[in-house]
């Protein structure tokens, strides 16, 4: 059975109210996305230390899934009336064919080569190189499956620079992929932190899947102390707000690795961290950068 997928821009102040009303009016599902995702205006939903969270993005998109026979205009009108807002008039409709969604999703995620010796391999695939360091990871609810340039940039840095025996903190661990890679590459002690409890759970599950030992927790549960290496693959604005916090977690002479930064934002981020770190040239992948610095 096919479905209808309706895409419309929504006022962020009304987005959640409209979403609830659309479900009440018969929508099968409603999801909200950042209309500015992938641009310099991209906004994180979750707050970080010293960085207040937004209720929703400044510009939002609603993706509404309807039955193939549903009247889109009537559904939007009913939902708008329930929400007490004007009826949306600008939207697009696409037909979504019936699919084996599990098989379709799996087909979109092949093993990802990070370096000659480091791969990310979904559990339904055989490892292309059994002699390599293979990170078992499936797409999930937490950020960081290895397909995004910022994750690849951080993994390559770890592959190039970990000599073995280091202590490492992965701040904003998402799926736990960077922490798990660090353990497999020889780090002696690895901690991962995320403000999202679901990400902490996903990281613990992925560590168990990969038969690695790392400690994952919420920020308030992290013990005091400094590390040889701190990695933070988040977004520019939180990284800027967290500069004193992250700098305080790196020992003298230790290294800081930052990503989630667009190329045009790199100089601004380095300027914020300049009093603590000397940075090398940014590494670039598809318009995203990774910064690596040594604590002075």
């Amino acid at each position: 059975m096919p479905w209808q997928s309706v895409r419309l821009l929504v006022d962020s102040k009304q987005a959640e109210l409209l979403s609830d009303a659309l479900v009440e009016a018969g929508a099968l599902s409603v999801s909200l996305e950042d209309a500015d995702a992938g641009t310099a205006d991209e906004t994180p939903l979750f707050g970080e230390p010293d960085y207040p969270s937004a209720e929703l993005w400044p510009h939002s998109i609603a993706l509404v899934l309807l039955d193939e026979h549903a009247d889109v205009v009537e559904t939007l009108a009913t939902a708008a009336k329930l929400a007490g807002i004007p009826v949306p008039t600008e939207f697009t409709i696409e037909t979504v064919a019936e699919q084996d969604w599990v098989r379709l999703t799996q087909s979109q995620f092949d093993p990802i080569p990070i370096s000659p010796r480091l791969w990310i391999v979904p559990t339904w695939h055989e490892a292309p190189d059994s002699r390599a360091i293979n990170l078992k990871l499936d797409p999930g609810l937490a950020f960081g499956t290895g397909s995004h340039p910022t994750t690849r940039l951080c993994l390559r840095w770890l592959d190039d620079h970990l000599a073995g025996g280091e202590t490492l903190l992965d701040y904003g661990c998402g799926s736990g992929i960077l922490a798990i890679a660090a353990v497999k590459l020889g780090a002696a002690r690895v901690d991962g932190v995320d403000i999202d409890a679901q990400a902490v759970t996903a990281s613990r599950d992925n560590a168990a899947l990969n038969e690695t030992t790392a400690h994952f927790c919420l920020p308030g549960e992290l013990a005091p102390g400094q590390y040889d290496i701190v990695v933070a693959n988040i977004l520019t604005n939180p990284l800027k707000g967290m500069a004193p916090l992250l700098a305080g977690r790196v020992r003298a002479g230790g290294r800081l690795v930052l990503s989630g930064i667009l190329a045009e934002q790199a100089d601004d981020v380095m300027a914020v961290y300049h009093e603590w770190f000397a940075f090398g040239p940014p590494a670039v992948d598809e318009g995203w950068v990774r910064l690596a610095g040594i604590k002075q």
Side-chain angles (χ1 to χ4, degrees):
M1 178 185 72
W3 295 274
Q4 299 179 86
S5 176
V6 183
R7 180 185 180 93
L8 64 152
L9 286 171
V10 294
D11 184 328
S12 292
K13 295 179 181 178
Q14 302 171 342
E16 292 184 335
L17 183 63
L18 179 60
S19 295
D20 292 341
L22 282 163
V23 172
E24 190 173 346
L28 301 175
S29 70
V30 182
S31 61
L32 297 174
E33 298 181 353
D34 184 0
D36 297 319
T39 74
D41 295 322
E42 182 174 0
T43 304
L45 267 186
F46 300 106
E48 297 286 353
D50 300 320
Y51 185 73
S53 62
E55 291 184 4
L56 265 180
W57 304 281
H59 307 101
S60 297
I61 292 173
L63 296 175
V64 187
L65 190 65
L66 298 174
D67 181 272
E68 65 172 323
H69 301 301
D71 185 318
V72 174
V73 174
E74 181 179 334
T75 301
L76 293 178
T78 301
K81 183 176 180 180
L82 289 170
I85 63 174
V87 179
T89 57
E90 295 186 13
F91 54 86
T92 59
I93 305 172
E94 293 183 2
T95 299
V96 181
E98 184 174 10
Q99 301 277 1
D100 181 340
W101 293 108
V102 172
R103 185 167 297 177
L104 177 63
T105 299
Q106 291 181 347
S107 71
Q108 296 172 349
F109 293 92
D110 290 326
I112 301 171
I114 301 300
S115 73
R117 69 164 179 164
L118 185 62
W119 285 76
I120 300 170
V121 185
T123 54
W124 55 82
H125 278 283
E126 290 292 330
D129 182 356
S130 60
R131 298 167 299 177
I133 297 173
N134 293 300
L135 308 177
K136 298 177 184 177
L137 194 72
D138 292 342
L141 295 175
F143 175 80
T145 59
S147 59
H148 196 275
T150 61
T151 308
R152 297 196 300 266
L153 285 165
C154 291
L155 286 170
R156 288 171 188 149
W157 189 94
L158 293 174
D159 187 29
D160 289 340
H161 293 87
L162 284 185
E166 297 92 345
T167 59
L168 182 142
L169 173 63
D170 178 6
Y171 206 102
C173 58
S175 68
I177 186 171
L178 300 181
I180 293 166
V183 173
K184 285 184 170 285
L185 290 165
R189 178 172 66 86
V190 176
D191 294 329
V193 168
D194 205 289
I195 60 170
D196 184 354
Q198 197 169 49
V200 172
T201 298
S203 295
R204 291 170 178 166
D205 291 345
N206 287 328
L209 177 66
N210 284 273
E211 301 178 343
T212 55
T213 300
H215 173 251
F216 297 100
C217 64
L218 296 169
E221 300 167 346
L222 184 65
Q226 293 185 318
Y227 297 80
D228 298 321
I229 300 168
V230 173
V231 181
N233 179 23
I234 311 177
L235 284 171
T236 291
N237 284 331
L239 287 175
K240 289 162 64 177
M242 294 164 59
L245 183 153
L246 294 178
R249 285 288 184 174
V250 183
R251 67 164 177 81
R255 290 172 288 183
L256 177 70
V257 181
L258 304 176
S259 198
I261 304 162
L262 292 168
E264 59 267 27
Q265 300 168 334
D267 288 342
D268 194 20
V269 174
M270 285 190 286
V272 173
Y273 283 83
H274 178 72
E275 64 178 285
W276 300 286
F277 296 93
F279 287 96
V284 184
D285 188 343
E286 295 183 18
W288 295 88
V289 301
R290 177 200 68 218
L291 304 175
I294 298 175
K295 192 171 184 180
Q296 305 174 80

